Amino acid sequence: MALDKLKKALGKTRSILNTRVEDLFVPGKTLEEEDLELLEEALIVADVGVEATENIIEHLKVAAREQKIPPGGPLAILETEIRKMVDEYEDPAPWRPTEKPHVILLVGVNGTGKTTTAGKLAKYINDKGGKSLLAASDTFRAAANEQLAIWSERSGADIVRSVDGADPASVAFDAVSKAISGGYDAVIVDTAGRLHTKVNLMEELKKIARVCGKKLPGAPHDIFLVLDATTGNNGINQARLFEEVIGITGIILTKLDSTAKGGIALAIMRELNIPVRLVGVGEKIDDLIEFDSASFAAGLFED
Amino acid sequence: MFEQLTEKIETVFRGLTSRGRLSEDNIKGALKEVRRALLSADVNFKVTKEFIARVQERAVGRDVLESITPGQQFIKIIHDELVDLLGGLAPNIELPHKTPTNIMLVGLQGSGKTTSAGKLARFFAKRQFKPILVACDIHRPAAARQLEIVANNAGYPSIMFEEGEKPSEVARRAQFEARQFGCDLAIHDTAGRLHIDRDMMAEARELYDEINPDLVLLVLDAMTGQEAVSVGEAFTSELGVDGFLLTKLDGDARGGAALSLRQVTGKPVLFVGVGEKLDALERFHPDRMAGRILGMGDVVTLVEKAEQTFDEKRAKELEKKLRKQTFDFNDFRDQLKQLKNMGPIDDILAMIPGMKKSMLKGIQVDDGATKRIEAIINSMTPSERAKPGSIDGSRRKRIARGSGTSVQEVNRLLKQFFEMQKMFKKMGRIKKFAMPPGFGL
């Protein structure tokens, strides 16, 4: 589904390398070294990462030796793996009406699309019948607050604004307070982009989360790492450090409408057990869709 | 920046040098590790393949096998190839003085164009230009406002687009208005766009045709994966990109894109962004970067940075202290302020030859905490500063009281300081690579 939307949105013509990769794994066929090299290239080029690629290839070698390659070939294996990861979580819904208000923190490095995603996520929740509130906790980047205000207009979600340089935690606190008293279903906290290696900035993030929990025990209910699909191997470092510092409950993979495959998300899912929840596929407000493991796996092998 | 890659290749070389004479087989094994390291660093798959093939061709020849120190020769081959791949000598950026000279920034969404626009303004303002920032991003909400704030904070004028104006129209207007502001360098910030988005690429082309820019920079995130190459190719062929500006290199991205971009497009990486502050923009030095990749550190950049911040004598003193391990709290305090001006302290440490990321583990240098550290050091007596080992429990209590901090904080600082001393000692023990004459920095 995601891919259909992608293709339509951009009118891209993609030749499917897919069949070629699948042909390699006909039951009974012995795997040649060059077959595996072809698959390795496909995975590396999709940014799946060296380590994950090596693991997958190893996995396939074993499966081939034991004649356990399923009819769908490597694609089916990958998809099963991804699905396992996603299903491990009891309730993968990005927004749950059972939490009122459901507090969501958006975190990530600079330029991944947090503010845009915040606007789209507000619309996504409103479309599902919720009433969402945006919190402009990015008080560092110039005009981030104004940018989010425009998304608030577009999505019809209310916003707790801030001024540049204000304390981001206090903005989040105000938003959670307002959500409780105003009967909102969800609070989406947009935070400033920060490199995962900057210790003090990561500490600031902890404080934002802590303050949310102070106002509302259990909050934030979700902390989503917003990850740019064009990111390479560094994506794993990002996910690992954000996970270590504040704990990530899911990934929102943005800019999948580019030719990037976002394969590093697969490596993150495998290595850190963090599922992808939502996918950004364009700049319009409705361009945020639920993650679909089948089309994601298929997309990895498309050219 | 490239520490992890350095580490990996160093591991390869350690294995090699200890084995003495090379065989065809162990070159292959080493190359496999180099290949893995390059791919992990997000160097493009094809570029990696070509690189490995080239190195193999040269390594398996007599150069290596018949030489006396094959390990060194192998390092030299990798080094030379890397310098080659990175673009050889650093190109000079010579912009003509026009009325105005035009720079155009292009790139994907979120690569850091607007932030870089401010940094470039500062960079060229130091080089006898009077910059003005032109907001040609009519798409992203509040992008123009962001640029305006960046310009204001930096003290440069800016030109906003008016309702209904196309980017090319803003740029055309800027040609006249820049002069009215007394400016001779118009930096055009454009909207982020996908290289496969035909409409958006056409829009950028229209802007290009309008101003016929003197310098087109593709701004690319250093964390970009395999995509870097197709992004670089598309923008270069459609918008005449002259060079690249690689952003966010202050993180732990290995920036393999720097290696690929040049190789595939033939255009140089001109700048690197190394922080969120206005002056966190540096020239890209391919030769130094290759040295860094090979674990020879980035001494030149370190010295250059030090020279900008310190006077020369002080810089030499610091280097001597670091090398001779007579670095005490007096020096620590003296240098702290100036070090702060040089950027994050762990970045500085990472530039020192022989320094590896693993050595920096456990030494968290938090720039925000420097004020408290200064307070603690100020509360020590001169003899305590000279001999930190003498600071016992009761002295720690006194220092904590005097500095308005806690004993825990004093303990932490002392622990970090001792670890730092240990690390400098370790560095002193690391033998410099025995390089062939004329090779090295």
Side-chain angles (χ1 to χ4, degrees):
Chain A
M1 176 192 125
L3 283 168
D4 288 349
K5 178 144 190 171
L6 287 180
K7 284 179 190 163
K8 229 180 272 166
L10 292 157
K12 276 187 285 188
T13 45
R14 284 172 145 170
S15 64
I16 311 288
L17 198 145
N18 195 350
T19 22
R20 218 170 131 211
V21 174
E22 268 183 52
D23 283 349
L24 305 176
F25 296 91
V26 179
K29 180 185 184 298
T30 44
L31 273 178
E32 305 294 334
E33 196 59 32
E34 58 196 47
D35 297 338
L36 290 170
E37 266 168 31
L38 178 70
L39 188 65
E40 188 207 22
E41 177 171 355
L43 288 168
I44 292 281
V45 166
D47 282 322
V48 170
V50 176
E51 210 162 302
T53 298
E54 283 171 356
N55 287 340
I56 290 167
I57 301 249
E58 211 40 56
H59 188 98
L60 285 171
K61 269 190 199 164
V62 174
R65 213 179 301 132
E66 295 171 358
Q67 306 254 316
K68 277 182 187 158
I69 300 270
L75 217 80
I77 293 179
L78 288 183
E79 199 204 322
T80 315
E81 274 200 44
I82 297 166
R83 182 155 291 163
K84 238 191 307 185
M85 226 84 68
V86 178
D87 290 346
E88 232 172 70
Y89 292 78
E90 280 172 22
D91 188 355
W95 168 61
R96 302 182 288 281
T98 43
E99 313 282 358
K100 194 176 161 86
H102 182 149
V103 179
I104 298 168
L105 229 58
L106 297 182
V107 302
V109 300
N110 315 61
T112 56
K114 285 175 294 302
T115 308
T116 306
T117 301
K120 292 179 189 171
L121 187 56
K123 174 75 169 13
Y124 170 91
I125 291 170
N126 288 1
D127 284 351
K128 289 194 178 285
K131 183 181 167 197
S132 50
L133 179 67
L134 288 163
S137 280
D138 180 356
T139 58
F140 180 79
R141 181 165 58 90
N145 172 45
E146 276 132 302
Q147 187 182 344
L148 191 68
I150 294 169
W151 281 109
S152 144
E153 279 166 33
R154 289 184 185 172
S155 62
D158 292 337
I159 180 173
V160 173
R161 291 190 63 155
S162 58
V163 288
D164 287 354
D167 174 24
S170 80
V171 179
F173 185 86
D174 290 349
V176 175
S177 308
K178 182 178 173 171
I180 294 169
S181 61
Y184 287 87
D185 298 300
V187 183
I188 300 156
V189 183
D190 178 31
T191 66
R194 65 202 73 223
L195 290 177
H196 46 290
T197 50
K198 308 263 169 174
V199 180
N200 47 345
L201 294 180
M202 293 300 274
E203 284 300 314
E204 179 191 271
L205 212 49
K206 260 195 217 165
K207 187 181 165 198
I208 296 174
R210 203 165 53 232
V211 161
C212 290
K214 222 171 231 174
K215 186 70 206 174
L216 178 69
H221 307 90
D222 275 301
I223 299 174
F224 292 146
L225 175 71
V226 180
L227 183 77
D228 187 328
T230 49
T231 310
N233 283 276
N234 191 257
I236 296 180
N237 298 16
Q238 292 173 25
R240 188 178 291 127
L241 274 171
F242 275 101
E243 166 72 4
E244 265 173 35
V245 176
I246 45 161
I248 302 295
T249 61
I251 285 165
I252 299 181
L253 194 59
T254 60
K255 310 182 198 176
L256 252 188
D257 47 333
S258 71
T259 49
K261 314 287 197 297
I264 204 64
L266 176 65
I268 292 169
M269 284 190 274
R270 289 174 58 97
E271 206 172 308
L272 300 170
N273 263 312
I274 303 168
V276 177
R277 293 286 179 78
L278 293 161
V279 176
V281 293
E283 297 191 303
K284 298 208 182 65
I285 195 148
D286 289 317
D287 292 336
L288 183 74
I289 56 182
E290 278 162 36
F291 177 73
D292 176 46
S293 48
S295 48
F296 178 75
L300 290 178
F301 291 120
E302 286 194 4
D303 197 8
Chain B
M1 225 182 270
F2 280 68
E3 294 91 347
Q4 289 155 309
L5 185 55
T6 304
E7 238 170 272
K8 286 208 170 156
I9 294 186
E10 267 179 2
T11 315
V12 171
F13 291 151
R14 264 200 295 279
L16 278 172
T17 41
S18 65
R19 254 181 247 163
R21 197 167 277 270
L22 288 175
S23 72
E24 233 172 277
D25 276 351
N26 60 26
I27 289 175
K28 261 183 196 155
L31 283 173
K32 206 173 159 191
E33 277 306 310
V34 175
R35 173 181 185 271
R36 203 168 180 274
L38 293 177
L39 287 176
S40 304
D42 293 318
V43 177
N44 176 264
F45 188 85
K46 287 202 176 77
V47 173
T48 301
K49 211 171 170 178
E50 284 166 19
F51 178 76
I52 295 297
R54 267 169 77 173
V55 172
Q56 187 165 19
E57 198 178 299
R58 291 184 57 179
V60 173
R62 62 197 160 116
D63 277 341
V64 166
L65 295 177
E66 286 173 16
S67 66
I68 305 159
T69 53
Q72 288 169 9
Q73 288 291 347
F74 190 78
I75 295 170
K76 181 159 167 42
I77 289 168
I78 302 259
H79 176 272
D80 290 350
E81 291 301 315
L82 273 174
V83 172
D84 232 35
L85 193 64
L86 286 164
L89 286 175
N92 270 328
I93 302 163
E94 295 288 346
L95 282 182
H97 278 271
K98 294 199 213 158
T99 50
T101 303
N102 285 297
I103 295 180
M104 179 176 171
L105 300 180
V106 296
L108 300 177
Q109 290 90 343
S111 55
K113 288 175 293 304
T114 307
T115 306
S116 297
K119 292 180 183 175
L120 283 166
R122 171 63 57 90
F123 181 90
F124 285 107
K126 282 185 180 168
R127 286 158 182 79
Q128 273 73 53
F129 279 97
K130 285 199 181 319
I132 187 163
L133 298 174
V134 187
C136 299
D137 180 355
I138 61 167
H139 299 279
R140 179 165 62 91
R145 178 77 186 118
Q146 183 184 348
L147 189 75
E148 191 179 19
I149 295 171
V150 166
N152 277 348
N153 290 346
Y156 308 118
S158 54
I159 294 171
M160 298 292 100
F161 65 84
E162 280 156 19
E163 195 66 41
E165 247 181 337
K166 286 198 290 185
S168 58
E169 290 164 349
V170 190
R172 187 189 308 153
R173 189 159 52 80
Q175 303 305 302
F176 300 103
E177 287 185 18
R179 263 172 266 171
Q180 286 164 6
F181 278 103
C183 295
D184 59 1
L185 178 67
I187 301 175
H188 302 262
D189 180 32
T190 68
R193 66 201 73 225
L194 292 173
H195 53 294
I196 47 169
D197 189 330
R198 272 182 240 113
D199 295 343
M200 286 297 283
M201 289 305 273
E203 182 207 83
R205 183 71 214 185
E206 201 182 317
L207 171 59
Y208 179 97
D209 290 339
E210 178 65 42
I211 56 176
N212 195 16
D214 302 284
L215 181 69
V216 181
L217 284 174
L218 172 65
V219 181
L220 192 88
D221 190 324
M223 298 177 270
T224 310
Q226 296 287 318
E227 263 308 86
V229 157
S230 46
V231 173
E233 275 178 333
F235 275 96
T236 304
S237 69
E238 287 182 46
L239 295 170
V241 168
D242 297 299
F244 307 103
L245 191 161
L246 214 56
T247 60
K248 307 178 203 173
L249 265 171
D250 47 332
D252 58 354
R254 294 194 234 160
L259 296 171
S260 327
L261 280 175
R262 168 79 195 206
Q263 184 75 351
V264 171
T265 63
K267 302 290 179 187
V269 179
L270 293 173
F271 296 99
V272 293
V274 291
E276 303 206 32
K277 295 209 182 84
L278 261 182
D279 53 4
L281 183 79
E282 293 171 2
R283 295 282 309 278
F284 178 76
H285 294 285
D287 44 343
R288 293 174 195 175
M289 187 64 79
R292 196 169 172 145
I293 292 168
L294 291 179
M296 293 185 287
D298 194 2
V299 177
V300 187
T301 302
L302 177 67
V303 170
E304 217 173 56
K305 269 199 168 192
E307 275 171 0
Q308 278 171 11
T309 332
F310 301 77
D311 59 73
E312 210 172 314
K313 203 174 130 209
R314 276 176 171 236
K316 271 188 187 142
E317 268 169 25
L318 173 67
E319 206 189 308
K320 216 163 108 189
K321 293 256 183 197
L322 287 174
R323 293 234 173 263
K324 288 202 167 174
Q325 303 147 31
T326 55
F327 190 74
D328 64 17
F329 267 120
N330 283 313
D331 307 308
F332 193 91
R333 186 182 56 172
D334 281 353
Q335 309 299 348
L336 203 53
K337 274 185 202 152
Q338 293 154 85
L339 272 170
K340 271 196 296 188
N341 297 337
M342 287 167 66
I345 294 168
D346 33 2
D347 283 3
I348 311 268
L349 292 176
M351 285 184 217
I352 300 170
M355 185 68 67
K356 287 183 297 180
K357 197 144 187 145
S358 58
M359 292 165 79
L360 291 172
K361 266 173 202 151
I363 306 168
Q364 283 295 11
V365 192
D366 177 357
D367 290 325
T370 43
K371 265 189 200 146
R372 298 178 78 81
I373 292 173
E374 275 183 75
I376 293 172
I377 300 174
N378 283 339
S379 297
M380 294 175 185
T381 66
S383 72
E384 282 169 348
R385 278 179 220 134
K387 284 189 179 153
S390 69
I391 304 173
D392 58 14
S394 71
R395 283 172 191 265
R396 289 179 194 204
K397 256 187 227 163
R398 194 205 73 239
I399 291 166
R401 263 203 315 277
S403 57
T405 58
S406 63
V407 177
Q408 285 82 359
E409 277 177 272
V410 176
N411 285 341
R412 206 181 308 140
L413 174 65
L414 284 168
K415 200 181 150 212
Q416 286 183 348
F417 184 81
F418 292 136
E419 282 196 43
M420 223 174 188
Q421 276 191 329
K422 243 193 276 170
M423 185 180 65
F424 289 143
K425 256 179 212 160
K426 243 195 248 170
M427 275 172 46
R429 279 203 301 269
I430 291 174
K431 281 182 204 147
K432 282 188 176 174
F433 274 128
M435 290 293 164
F439 173 58
L441 290 171

